[in-house]
Amino acid sequence: MLRRAALVAATVTAAVGLAACGSDGMSGMDHGAGADPSVSASASASARAHNAADVDFAKEMITHHRQAIEMADLAATRASSTDVKALAEKIKSAQDPEINTMSGWLTSWGEGVPADMTGMSHDMSAGMPGMMSADDMAELDRAKGAEFDTTFLEMMVDHHQGAIEMATTEKSKGQYGPATELAASVITAQSAEIKQMHDLLGKS
């Protein structure tokens, strides 16, 4: 009986020891599997990395897009062509979300979002590629029917060409991945729209 009791006690002691070792081992594994905070912070910072070209692109393209939307808004009541009205709506639906996206970038970078100058003088941004002057916008605002269609298409072709120029600069000089991807998307979409507008104008 004493021998049996001793054997049972030894077995229990061994089991407890193994359980303790297993617990220690798992604890070590858990610590090893945990993410290194410094590595996570570095990866997060890398994902947000941007440069001055990205900031300039976002700020200028927001202003550029706002004017395109202002021009497109006029088409609803002034255009005579259903194709022109449809194109104007397409431009608005594409560029409005892009403004929101770029505004979010600027805010996350600690940069100011450009003030909305819709309906105000456009001469202060006259140096931006493709931007219409105050006189240009007044001319478009006065036009109606077929005259509006032609004026709108000609101005929007110039406007799109300016956007493509800005996007091309961002692709070559920007650092922030989502911004360079948006620039590539602008080039593709607006190049296709320029072709469509040339077709509507009867140009080859």
Side-chain angles (χ1 to χ4, degrees), residues 75-160:
T77 57
R78 290 169 172 76
S80 62
S81 167
T82 55
D83 288 332
V84 170
K85 289 182 179 181
L87 174 64
E89 189 58 38
K90 179 182 177 183
I91 289 170
K92 286 177 58 179
S93 65
Q95 297 192 16
D96 236 343
E98 290 175 353
I99 289 174
N100 292 334
T101 295
M102 292 183 286
S103 296
W105 295 342
L106 291 171
T107 299
S108 71
W109 298 336
E111 300 283 347
V113 177
D116 190 348
M117 303 299 292
T118 301
M120 302 176 69
S121 173
H122 297 83
D123 291 333
M124 63 193 313
S125 56
M128 200 179 299
M131 286 292 283
M132 299 297 109
S133 68
D135 288 343
D136 292 330
M137 294 300 292
E139 177 186 352
L140 185 63
D141 189 46
R142 289 191 300 268
K144 293 181 180 179
E147 180 188 2
F148 177 90
D149 295 342
T150 299
T151 304
F152 173 83
L153 292 170
E154 290 176 345
M155 287 185 178
M156 194 60 81
V157 165
D158 290 343
H159 204 270
H160 274 25

Side-chain angles (χ1 to χ4, degrees), residues 35-56:
D36 186 336
S38 63
V39 172
S40 298
S42 176
S44 178
S46 177
R48 293 194 306 271
H50 65 282
N51 58 17
D54 298 316
V55 174
D56 289 345

